[in-house]
Amino acid sequence: MVNYFRYLQLKNPLQAALEAFYPPLCRLCGDSGDSGIDLCLGCQESLPWNSPACPRCAMPAQGQDLPCRCINEPWPFTSATVPLLYEGAVATLVGGFKYHGNLAQGQLLGKILSKALEASEKSLPRHLIPLPLHYRRLRQRGFEQTNELARAISKDNPSIIPTPILNRRRATSQQSLLAASQRHANVYQAFEVNARTLLPKHVALLDDVVTTGATAISAAKALISAGAERVDLWAVARASINS
Ligand SMILES: [Zn+2]
Ligand SMILES: [Zn+2]
């Protein structure tokens, strides 16, 4: 099972040299950052890591056989990489990023996800498809959070190309305000693929926080009906269903 925290500690020579000139600072406590990440060692260690987790649906796993019970349920993703749990300091970082426009916190979260992908040893697609906001919400927020995360991942791993080809067909209610049972209906057929795009066979869908997975599932179905043969799910954090 991948230990994401240990993986953050690995440094390459360029990273070590950069750190000597531009030492990173911890975005949670203000101490010196570590391993090229804007988090000190203590804060990295105390993050709520989602490990061990099911490699197919990223639900936290506690000693059961893997893949977990998702193997018997409709789940369009071949694999899922979601390194953190949405609680404590992670909820603070995600909230600062999404609702207060702290883009540096978004870059940090993107970098953590990127390191987790490297650690996962899964076969990674070249095309990363950010899950889009509806244009009205985008206008309110002023930035697309999944594009920001995609930028951080691609900066860390230039062979991964952000490919923003999904559109929201209609505005949907905010999923976090709905009961779990209402979430699938809210996002049913909410997405479409830009018709002029030739879709690669293997793609990753990028979201920030996954709860029931209803939004991501709806987006994955749009990608599969447009010709994708394998869709992986990448997200920063897994929230419990009651979040
Ligand atoms: Zn710290
Ligand atoms: Zn599972």
Coordinates of all heavy atoms in Angstrom, one line a residue, residues 45-126:
E45 N 3.2 15.4 8.2 CA 3.0 14.1 8.9 C 1.6 14.0 9.5 O 0.9 13.0 9.6 CB 4.0 13.9 10.0 CG 4.2 12.5 10.4 CD 5.6 12.3 11.1 OE1 6.2 13.3 11.6 OE2 6.0 11.1 11.3
S46 N 1.1 15.2 10.0 CA -0.2 15.2 10.7 C -1.4 15.4 9.8 O -2.5 15.4 10.2 CB -0.2 16.2 11.8 OG 0.0 17.5 11.3
L47 N -1.1 15.5 8.4 CA -2.3 15.6 7.5 C -3.1 14.3 7.6 O -2.6 13.2 7.8 CB -1.8 15.8 6.1 CG -1.3 17.2 5.7 CD1 -0.9 17.2 4.2 CD2 -2.3 18.3 5.9
P48 N -4.4 14.4 7.4 CA -5.3 13.2 7.3 C -5.1 12.5 6.0 O -5.8 12.8 5.0 CB -6.7 13.8 7.5 CG -6.6 15.2 7.0 CD -5.2 15.7 7.2
W49 N -4.1 11.6 5.9 CA -3.9 10.9 4.6 C -4.9 9.8 4.4 O -5.3 9.1 5.3 CB -2.5 10.3 4.6 CG -1.4 11.3 4.7 CD1 -0.7 11.7 5.8 CD2 -0.9 12.1 3.6 NE1 0.3 12.7 5.4 CE2 0.1 12.9 4.1 CE3 -1.2 12.2 2.3 CZ2 0.8 13.8 3.3 CZ3 -0.5 13.1 1.5 CH2 0.5 13.9 2.0
N50 N -5.3 9.7 3.2 CA -6.3 8.7 2.8 C -5.5 7.4 2.4 O -5.5 7.1 1.2 CB -7.2 9.2 1.7 CG -8.3 8.2 1.3 OD1 -8.6 7.3 2.1 ND2 -8.8 8.3 0.1
S51 N -4.9 6.8 3.3 CA -4.1 5.6 3.0 C -4.1 4.7 4.3 O -3.9 5.2 5.4 CB -2.7 6.1 2.7 OG -1.8 5.0 2.5
P52 N -4.5 3.4 4.1 CA -4.7 2.7 2.8 C -6.1 3.1 2.3 O -7.0 3.4 3.1 CB -4.7 1.2 3.2 CG -5.0 1.2 4.7 CD -4.5 2.5 5.2
A53 N -6.3 3.0 1.0 CA -7.5 3.3 0.3 C -7.7 2.3 -0.8 O -6.8 1.8 -1.4 CB -7.6 4.7 -0.2
C54 N -9.0 2.1 -1.2 CA -9.3 1.2 -2.4 C -8.7 1.9 -3.6 O -8.9 3.0 -3.9 CB -10.8 1.1 -2.5 SG -11.3 0.2 -4.0
P55 N -7.9 1.1 -4.4 CA -7.3 1.7 -5.6 C -8.3 2.0 -6.7 O -8.0 2.7 -7.7 CB -6.3 0.6 -6.1 CG -6.9 -0.7 -5.5 CD -7.6 -0.3 -4.2
R56 N -9.5 1.5 -6.6 CA -10.5 1.7 -7.7 C -11.5 2.8 -7.4 O -11.9 3.6 -8.3 CB -11.3 0.4 -7.8 CG -12.3 0.4 -9.0 CD -12.7 -1.1 -9.4 NE -13.7 -1.1 -10.4 CZ -15.0 -1.0 -10.1 NH1 -15.4 -1.1 -8.9 NH2 -15.9 -1.0 -11.1
C57 N -11.9 3.0 -6.1 CA -12.8 4.0 -5.7 C -12.3 5.0 -4.7 O -13.0 6.0 -4.4 CB -14.1 3.4 -5.3 SG -14.0 2.7 -3.6
A58 N -11.1 4.7 -4.1 CA -10.5 5.6 -3.1 C -11.2 5.8 -1.8 O -11.0 6.7 -1.1 CB -10.2 7.0 -3.7
M59 N -12.1 4.8 -1.5 CA -12.7 4.8 -0.2 C -11.7 4.3 0.8 O -10.9 3.4 0.5 CB -13.9 3.9 -0.1 CG -15.2 4.5 -0.8 SD -15.8 6.0 0.0 CE -16.7 5.2 1.4
P60 N -11.6 5.0 2.0 CA -10.7 4.5 3.0 C -10.9 3.0 3.2 O -12.0 2.5 3.3 CB -11.0 5.3 4.2 CG -11.7 6.5 3.7 CD -12.4 6.1 2.5
A61 N -9.8 2.2 3.3 CA -9.9 0.8 3.5 C -9.3 0.4 4.8 O -8.3 0.9 5.3 CB -9.0 0.1 2.4
Q62 N -10.1 -0.5 5.5 CA -9.6 -1.0 6.8 C -9.5 -2.5 6.8 O -10.4 -3.1 7.3 CB -10.5 -0.5 7.9 CG -10.2 0.9 8.4 CD -11.4 1.8 8.4 OE1 -12.5 1.3 8.4 NE2 -11.2 3.1 8.5
G63 N -8.5 -3.0 6.2 CA -8.2 -4.4 6.3 C -9.1 -5.3 5.4 O -9.0 -6.5 5.4
Q64 N -10.1 -4.7 4.7 CA -10.9 -5.6 3.8 C -10.2 -5.9 2.5 O -9.2 -5.3 2.2 CB -12.3 -5.0 3.6 CG -12.3 -3.9 2.5 CD -12.3 -2.5 3.2 OE1 -11.5 -2.2 4.1 NE2 -13.1 -1.6 2.7
D65 N -10.8 -6.9 1.8 CA -10.2 -7.2 0.5 C -10.4 -6.0 -0.5 O -11.4 -5.3 -0.4 CB -11.0 -8.4 -0.2 CG -10.6 -9.7 0.5 OD1 -9.6 -9.7 1.2 OD2 -11.4 -10.7 0.4
L66 N -9.4 -5.8 -1.3 CA -9.5 -4.7 -2.3 C -9.5 -5.2 -3.7 O -8.8 -6.2 -4.0 CB -8.3 -3.7 -2.1 CG -8.3 -3.0 -0.7 CD1 -7.1 -2.2 -0.5 CD2 -9.6 -2.1 -0.6
P67 N -10.1 -4.6 -4.7 CA -11.1 -3.5 -4.5 C -12.2 -3.8 -3.5 O -12.5 -5.0 -3.3 CB -11.7 -3.3 -5.9 CG -10.8 -4.0 -6.9 CD -10.1 -5.1 -6.1
C68 N -12.8 -2.8 -2.9 CA -13.8 -2.9 -1.9 C -15.1 -3.3 -2.5 O -15.2 -3.7 -3.7 CB -13.8 -1.7 -1.1 SG -14.5 -0.2 -1.9
R69 N -16.2 -3.0 -1.9 CA -17.5 -3.4 -2.4 C -17.9 -2.6 -3.7 O -18.9 -2.9 -4.3 CB -18.6 -3.2 -1.3 CG -18.8 -1.8 -0.9 CD -19.8 -1.6 0.2 NE -19.9 -0.2 0.4 CZ -20.6 0.3 1.4 NH1 -21.3 -0.5 2.2 NH2 -20.7 1.6 1.6
C70 N -17.1 -1.6 -4.1 CA -17.3 -0.9 -5.3 C -17.3 -1.8 -6.5 O -17.9 -1.5 -7.5 CB -16.3 0.2 -5.5 SG -14.6 -0.4 -5.8
I71 N -16.7 -3.0 -6.3 CA -16.6 -3.9 -7.5 C -18.0 -4.4 -7.9 O -18.2 -4.8 -9.0 CB -15.6 -5.1 -7.1 CG1 -15.1 -5.7 -8.4 CG2 -16.2 -6.1 -6.2 CD1 -14.1 -4.9 -9.1
N72 N -18.9 -4.4 -6.9 CA -20.3 -4.8 -7.2 C -21.3 -3.7 -7.5 O -22.4 -3.9 -7.7 CB -20.8 -5.6 -6.0 CG -20.0 -6.8 -5.7 OD1 -19.5 -7.5 -6.6 ND2 -19.7 -7.0 -4.4
E73 N -20.7 -2.5 -7.6 CA -21.6 -1.3 -7.8 C -21.2 -0.6 -9.1 O -20.1 -0.8 -9.6 CB -21.5 -0.3 -6.7 CG -22.1 -0.9 -5.4 CD -21.7 -0.1 -4.2 OE1 -21.1 1.0 -4.3 OE2 -21.9 -0.6 -3.1
P74 N -22.2 0.1 -9.8 CA -21.8 0.8 -11.0 C -20.8 1.9 -10.7 O -21.1 2.8 -9.8 CB -23.2 1.4 -11.5 CG -24.2 1.1 -10.4 CD -23.6 0.3 -9.3
W75 N -19.7 1.8 -11.2 CA -18.6 2.8 -10.9 C -17.8 2.9 -12.2 O -17.1 1.9 -12.6 CB -17.7 2.3 -9.8 CG -16.6 3.1 -9.4 CD1 -15.3 2.9 -9.6 CD2 -16.6 4.4 -8.7 NE1 -14.5 3.9 -9.1 CE2 -15.3 4.8 -8.6 CE3 -17.6 5.2 -8.2 CZ2 -14.9 6.0 -8.0 CZ3 -17.3 6.4 -7.6 CH2 -16.0 6.8 -7.5
P76 N -17.8 4.0 -12.9 CA -17.2 4.1 -14.3 C -15.7 4.2 -14.3 O -15.1 4.2 -15.4 CB -17.9 5.3 -14.9 CG -18.2 6.2 -13.7 CD -18.5 5.2 -12.6
F77 N -15.1 4.4 -13.1 CA -13.6 4.6 -13.1 C -12.8 3.3 -13.0 O -13.2 2.4 -12.2 CB -13.3 5.6 -12.0 CG -13.9 6.9 -12.1 CD1 -15.1 7.2 -11.3 CD2 -13.5 7.8 -13.0 CE1 -15.7 8.4 -11.5 CE2 -14.1 9.1 -13.1 CZ -15.3 9.3 -12.4
T78 N -11.7 3.2 -13.7 CA -10.8 2.1 -13.6 C -10.0 2.2 -12.4 O -9.7 1.2 -11.7 CB -9.9 2.0 -14.9 OG1 -10.8 1.9 -16.0 CG2 -9.0 0.8 -14.9
S79 N -9.5 3.4 -12.1 CA -8.8 3.6 -10.9 C -9.0 5.0 -10.3 O -9.6 5.8 -11.0 CB -7.3 3.4 -11.1 OG -6.7 4.6 -11.5
A80 N -8.7 5.2 -9.0 CA -8.9 6.5 -8.4 C -7.8 6.8 -7.5 O -7.3 5.9 -6.7 CB -10.2 6.4 -7.6
T81 N -7.3 8.0 -7.6 CA -6.2 8.5 -6.7 C -6.6 9.7 -6.0 O -6.9 10.7 -6.6 CB -4.9 8.8 -7.5 OG1 -4.5 7.6 -8.3 CG2 -3.7 9.2 -6.6
V82 N -6.8 9.6 -4.7 CA -7.4 10.7 -3.8 C -6.6 10.6 -2.5 O -6.9 9.9 -1.6 CB -8.9 10.5 -3.6 CG1 -9.4 11.7 -2.8 CG2 -9.6 10.3 -4.9
P83 N -5.5 11.4 -2.4 CA -4.5 11.1 -1.3 C -4.9 11.6 0.1 O -4.3 11.1 1.0 CB -3.3 11.9 -1.8 CG -3.7 12.9 -2.7 CD -4.9 12.3 -3.4
L84 N -5.9 12.5 0.2 CA -6.2 13.1 1.5 C -7.7 12.8 1.9 O -8.5 12.6 1.0 CB -5.9 14.6 1.4 CG -4.5 15.0 1.2 CD1 -4.4 16.4 0.8 CD2 -3.7 14.7 2.5
L85 N -7.9 13.0 3.2 CA -9.3 13.0 3.6 C -9.7 14.4 3.9 O -8.9 15.3 4.3 CB -9.4 12.2 5.0 CG -9.1 10.7 4.8 CD1 -9.1 10.1 6.2 CD2 -10.2 10.0 4.0
Y86 N -11.0 14.7 3.6 CA -11.5 16.1 3.7 C -11.9 16.4 5.1 O -13.0 16.3 5.5 CB -12.7 16.3 2.7 CG -13.2 17.7 2.7 CD1 -12.4 18.7 2.1 CD2 -14.4 18.1 3.2 CE1 -12.9 20.0 2.1 CE2 -14.9 19.3 3.2 CZ -14.2 20.3 2.6 OH -14.6 21.6 2.5
E87 N -10.9 16.7 5.9 CA -11.2 17.0 7.3 C -10.0 17.8 7.9 O -8.9 17.9 7.2 CB -11.4 15.7 8.2 CG -10.2 14.8 8.1 CD -10.5 13.4 8.7 OE1 -11.6 12.8 8.4 OE2 -9.7 12.9 9.4
G88 N -10.1 18.5 9.0 CA -9.0 19.2 9.7 C -8.3 20.2 8.8 O -9.0 21.0 8.1
A89 N -7.0 20.1 8.8 CA -6.2 21.0 8.0 C -6.5 21.0 6.5 O -6.4 22.0 5.8 CB -4.7 20.7 8.2
V90 N -6.9 19.8 6.0 CA -7.2 19.7 4.6 C -8.5 20.5 4.2 O -8.5 21.2 3.2 CB -7.4 18.2 4.1 CG1 -7.9 18.1 2.7 CG2 -6.0 17.5 4.3
A91 N -9.5 20.4 5.1 CA -10.7 21.2 4.9 C -10.3 22.7 4.9 O -10.9 23.5 4.2 CB -11.7 20.9 5.9
T92 N -9.4 23.1 5.8 CA -9.0 24.5 5.9 C -8.3 24.9 4.6 O -8.6 26.0 4.0 CB -8.0 24.7 7.1 OG1 -8.6 24.2 8.2 CG2 -7.6 26.2 7.3
L93 N -7.4 24.1 4.1 CA -6.7 24.5 2.8 C -7.6 24.5 1.7 O -7.6 25.4 0.8 CB -5.6 23.4 2.6 CG -4.3 23.5 3.5 CD1 -3.4 22.3 3.3 CD2 -3.5 24.8 3.3
V94 N -8.5 23.5 1.6 CA -9.4 23.5 0.4 C -10.4 24.7 0.5 O -10.7 25.4 -0.5 CB -10.3 22.2 0.4 CG1 -11.4 22.2 -0.6 CG2 -9.3 21.0 0.1
G95 N -10.9 25.0 1.7 CA -11.8 26.2 1.9 C -11.1 27.5 1.5 O -11.7 28.3 0.9
G96 N -9.9 27.7 2.0 CA -9.1 28.9 1.7 C -9.0 29.0 0.2 O -9.1 30.1 -0.4
F97 N -8.7 27.9 -0.5 CA -8.5 27.9 -2.0 C -9.8 28.2 -2.7 O -9.9 29.2 -3.5 CB -7.9 26.5 -2.3 CG -7.9 26.2 -3.8 CD1 -7.5 27.1 -4.7 CD2 -8.3 24.9 -4.3 CE1 -7.4 26.8 -6.1 CE2 -8.2 24.6 -5.6 CZ -7.8 25.6 -6.5
K98 N -10.9 27.4 -2.4 CA -12.1 27.5 -3.2 C -12.9 28.8 -2.9 O -13.5 29.4 -3.8 CB -13.0 26.3 -2.9 CG -12.6 25.1 -3.8 CD -13.4 23.9 -3.3 CE -14.8 23.9 -3.7 NZ -15.4 22.5 -3.6
Y99 N -13.0 29.1 -1.6 CA -14.0 30.1 -1.2 C -13.3 31.4 -0.9 O -14.0 32.5 -0.8 CB -14.8 29.6 0.0 CG -15.5 28.3 -0.3 CD1 -15.2 27.2 0.4 CD2 -16.4 28.2 -1.4 CE1 -15.8 25.9 0.1 CE2 -17.0 27.0 -1.7 CZ -16.7 25.9 -1.0 OH -17.3 24.7 -1.3
H100 N -12.0 31.5 -0.8 CA -11.3 32.7 -0.5 C -10.3 33.1 -1.5 O -9.5 34.0 -1.3 CB -10.8 32.8 0.9 CG -11.8 32.5 2.0 ND1 -12.7 33.5 2.3 CD2 -12.2 31.4 2.7 CE1 -13.6 33.0 3.2 NE2 -13.3 31.8 3.5
G101 N -10.2 32.3 -2.6 CA -9.3 32.6 -3.7 C -7.8 32.5 -3.4 O -7.0 33.2 -4.0
N102 N -7.5 31.7 -2.4 CA -6.0 31.5 -2.0 C -5.4 30.5 -3.0 O -5.4 29.3 -2.8 CB -5.9 31.1 -0.6 CG -4.4 31.1 -0.2 OD1 -3.5 30.9 -1.0 ND2 -4.2 31.4 1.1
L103 N -4.9 31.0 -4.1 CA -4.4 30.2 -5.2 C -3.2 29.4 -4.8 O -2.9 28.3 -5.3 CB -4.2 31.0 -6.5 CG -5.4 31.7 -7.1 CD1 -5.1 32.3 -8.4 CD2 -6.6 30.7 -7.2
A104 N -2.4 30.0 -3.9 CA -1.2 29.3 -3.4 C -1.5 28.0 -2.7 O -0.8 27.0 -2.8 CB -0.3 30.2 -2.5
Q105 N -2.6 28.1 -2.0 CA -3.1 26.8 -1.3 C -3.5 25.8 -2.3 O -3.3 24.6 -2.2 CB -4.2 27.2 -0.3 CG -3.7 27.9 0.9 CD -4.7 28.2 2.0 OE1 -5.9 27.9 1.8 NE2 -4.3 28.8 3.1
G106 N -4.1 26.3 -3.4 CA -4.5 25.4 -4.5 C -3.3 24.7 -5.2 O -3.3 23.5 -5.5
Q107 N -2.2 25.5 -5.4 CA -1.0 25.0 -5.9 C -0.4 23.9 -5.0 O 0.1 22.9 -5.5 CB 0.0 26.1 -6.2 CG -0.4 27.1 -7.2 CD -0.4 26.4 -8.6 OE1 0.6 25.9 -9.1 NE2 -1.6 26.4 -9.2
L108 N -0.5 24.2 -3.7 CA 0.0 23.2 -2.7 C -0.8 21.9 -2.8 O -0.2 20.8 -2.9 CB -0.1 23.8 -1.3 CG 0.2 22.8 -0.2 CD1 1.6 22.2 -0.2 CD2 0.0 23.5 1.2
L109 N -2.1 22.0 -2.9 CA -3.0 20.8 -2.9 C -2.7 20.0 -4.2 O -2.6 18.8 -4.3 CB -4.4 21.2 -2.8 CG -4.8 21.8 -1.4 CD1 -6.2 22.5 -1.5 CD2 -4.9 20.7 -0.4
G110 N -2.5 20.8 -5.3 CA -2.2 20.2 -6.6 C -0.9 19.4 -6.6 O -0.8 18.3 -7.1
K111 N 0.1 20.0 -5.9 CA 1.4 19.4 -5.8 C 1.3 18.1 -5.0 O 1.9 17.1 -5.3 CB 2.4 20.4 -5.2 CG 3.8 19.8 -5.2 CD 4.8 21.0 -5.2 CE 6.1 20.4 -5.5 NZ 7.1 21.3 -6.0
I112 N 0.5 18.1 -3.9 CA 0.4 16.9 -3.1 C -0.3 15.8 -4.0 O 0.2 14.6 -4.0 CB -0.5 17.2 -1.9 CG1 0.3 18.1 -0.9 CG2 -0.9 15.9 -1.1 CD1 -0.5 18.6 0.3
L113 N -1.3 16.1 -4.8 CA -1.9 15.2 -5.6 C -0.9 14.6 -6.7 O -0.9 13.4 -6.9 CB -3.2 15.8 -6.3 CG -3.9 14.9 -7.3 CD1 -4.3 13.5 -6.8 CD2 -5.2 15.6 -7.8
S114 N -0.1 15.5 -7.2 CA 0.8 15.1 -8.2 C 1.8 14.1 -7.6 O 2.2 13.1 -8.3 CB 1.5 16.4 -8.7 OG 2.7 16.1 -9.4
K115 N 2.3 14.4 -6.4 CA 3.3 13.5 -5.8 C 2.6 12.1 -5.5 O 3.2 11.1 -5.6 CB 3.8 14.0 -4.4 CG 4.5 15.3 -4.6 CD 5.9 15.0 -5.0 CE 6.7 16.3 -5.2 NZ 7.9 16.1 -6.1
A116 N 1.3 12.1 -5.1 CA 0.6 10.9 -4.9 C 0.5 10.1 -6.2 O 0.6 8.8 -6.1 CB -0.8 11.2 -4.3
L117 N 0.3 10.7 -7.3 CA 0.1 10.0 -8.6 C 1.5 9.4 -8.9 O 1.5 8.2 -9.4 CB -0.2 11.0 -9.7 CG -1.7 11.5 -9.6 CD1 -1.9 12.8 -10.5 CD2 -2.7 10.4 -10.0
E118 N 2.6 10.1 -8.7 CA 3.9 9.5 -8.9 C 4.1 8.3 -8.1 O 4.6 7.3 -8.5 CB 4.9 10.5 -8.5 CG 5.9 11.0 -9.6 CD 6.8 12.1 -9.1 OE1 6.3 13.3 -9.0 OE2 7.9 11.8 -8.7
A119 N 3.6 8.4 -6.8 CA 3.9 7.3 -5.9 C 3.0 6.1 -6.2 O 3.3 4.9 -5.8 CB 3.5 7.7 -4.5
S120 N 1.9 6.3 -6.9 CA 0.9 5.2 -7.0 C 1.3 4.1 -8.0 O 0.8 3.0 -8.0 CB -0.4 5.8 -7.6 OG -0.3 6.2 -8.9
E121 N 2.3 4.4 -8.8 CA 2.8 3.4 -9.8 C 1.7 2.9 -10.7 O 1.8 1.8 -11.3 CB 3.5 2.2 -9.1 CG 4.7 2.7 -8.4 CD 5.4 1.6 -7.6 OE1 4.8 0.5 -7.5 OE2 6.5 1.8 -7.1
K122 N 0.6 3.7 -10.8 CA -0.5 3.3 -11.8 C -0.1 3.9 -13.2 O 0.8 4.8 -13.2 CB -1.8 4.0 -11.4 CG -2.4 3.4 -10.1 CD -3.6 4.2 -9.6 CE -4.1 3.7 -8.3 NZ -5.0 4.6 -7.6
S123 N -0.6 3.3 -14.2 CA -0.3 3.9 -15.5 C -1.1 5.2 -15.7 O -2.3 5.2 -15.5 CB -0.7 2.8 -16.6 OG -1.6 3.3 -17.4
L124 N -0.4 6.3 -15.9 CA -1.0 7.6 -15.9 C -1.3 8.0 -17.3 O -0.5 7.9 -18.2 CB -0.1 8.6 -15.3 CG 0.4 8.4 -13.8 CD1 1.2 9.5 -13.3 CD2 -0.8 8.1 -12.9
P125 N -2.5 8.5 -17.6 CA -2.8 9.0 -18.9 C -2.1 10.4 -19.2 O -1.7 11.0 -18.2 CB -4.3 9.2 -18.9 CG -4.6 9.5 -17.5 CD -3.6 8.7 -16.7
R126 N -2.0 10.8 -20.4 CA -1.4 12.1 -20.7 C -2.4 13.2 -20.6 O -2.1 14.3 -20.5 CB -0.8 12.1 -22.2 CG 0.4 11.1 -22.3 CD 1.1 11.3 -23.6 NE 1.6 12.7 -23.8 CZ 1.5 13.4 -24.9 NH1 0.9 13.0 -25.9 NH2 2.0 14.6 -24.9

